[in-house]
Amino acid sequence: MSLPHAILTALLERPSSGLELTRRFDRSIGYFWSATHQQIYRELGRLEAEGYIRTLPAEQPARGQKKSYEVLPAGRAELARWTAASQDPKPQRDVLLLRLRAAAVVGTAGIEADLRRHLELHRRQLAEYEEIQRRDFPPGKDAPEDRLRHLVLRAGIDLETFWTRWLGHALEEFGEPPGPSAS
C-alpha cells in the first residue's frame, strides 16, 4: 500500500502532472520506492476516485493538455495517518544472496563475475548518492524537512556502503581482491 503514499508525498511537495510525477520518481523517490509510469498513472486515477487528490483546473481549455494533480485534505489526512502508524520491517529478500546459497550446493560458475558486476553497480549508485549529498545538502541546510530528506539519502549512502564492503568481502572469498574503487 505504499505507492499511493509515495505519490501523495510527492504531490504534497509539489503539485504535478503525471509525467512530471514519473520524472520526479525517477530522480528521487524511485531510488527507494520504484514504480512504472503505468503504475503511477493507474494510482493517480484511484487516488482521485477516493477523493485524496484532484485534477487542477486547466489554465486554458485545450485538447490533450496534461492534467496536473494536487492533494486534497483527505489525502493529507491519509498520509498523516499512514506516517504515524507503526509497521514491522519486511524480511530481506535478495536474489543474489539466494544464488550464493544455491552456489554452495551446485557450484559457483558465473557467480564471481556477477559479484563484480554488482560491486560496480553499487559503487556507481554510491557515487551518485554522494554527489546528490554534495549538491543538495551543503553545510547549514538544516531546516527540519531538509534534515528528514537528508536522513533518507543517508540511508541510501549507508546501504550502498554496506553492499560495496560486503561484495568486496565476498570476492575475497574467491581468492581475488575486488579491484579498485570507482568512488
Side-chain angles (χ1 to χ4, degrees), residues 94-101 114-115 118 163 166-167:
D94 190 287
V95 70
L96 180 62
L97 297 177
L98 180 58
R99 289 177 53 229
L100 281 172
R101 182 70 183 255
D114 205 37
L115 288 171
H118 276 254
W163 279 112
W166 183 86
L167 286 159

Side-chain angles (χ1 to χ4, degrees), residues 5 28-30 33 80 96 114 120 140 154-155 166 176:
H5 299 102
S28 61
I29 291 175
W33 194 268
L96 180 62
D114 205 37
E120 184 53 34
R154 283 294 322 163
W166 183 86
E176 292 188 36

Side-chain angles (χ1 to χ4, degrees), residues 14-39:
R14 184 174 66 238
S16 303
S17 69
L19 180 59
E20 292 165 339
L21 189 60
T22 57
R23 287 180 180 153
R24 287 175 52 215
F25 253 74
D26 290 343
R27 290 188 321 262
S28 61
I29 291 175
Y31 285 122
F32 56 90
W33 194 268
S34 62
T36 66
H37 300 306
Q38 293 83 5
Q39 290 172 315

Side-chain angles (χ1 to χ4, degrees), residues 25-80:
F25 253 74
D26 290 343
R27 290 188 321 262
S28 61
I29 291 175
Y31 285 122
F32 56 90
W33 194 268
S34 62
T36 66
H37 300 306
Q38 293 83 5
Q39 290 172 315
I40 290 171
Y41 280 101
R42 196 170 33 246
E43 199 58 50
L44 285 168
R46 284 189 197 123
L47 289 167
E48 191 169 29
E50 291 173 12
Y52 290 153
I53 65 172
R54 74 175 182 123
T55 304
L56 289 170
E59 292 176 14
Q60 298 177 10
R63 186 177 167 103
Q65 182 176 351
K66 61 184 178 183
K67 294 191 236 178
S68 287
Y69 299 89
E70 71 176 353
V71 177
L72 295 170
R76 180 180 284 276
E78 169 53 23
L79 187 59

Side-chain angles (χ1 to χ4, degrees), residues 112-149:
E112 183 178 358
D114 205 37
L115 288 171
R116 288 188 185 288
R117 187 178 70 80
H118 276 254
L119 177 58
E120 184 53 34
L121 292 170
H122 285 287
R123 283 177 173 164
R124 276 191 253 152
Q125 189 64 65
L126 177 58
E128 186 173 343
Y129 285 162
E130 288 172 336
E131 176 55 32
I132 292 169
Q133 180 173 252
R134 278 188 291 279
R135 182 190 70 219
D136 294 350
F137 297 100
K141 188 173 183 179
D142 61 355
E145 60 274 9
D146 291 328
R147 289 196 317 262
L148 291 175
R149 287 183 186 110

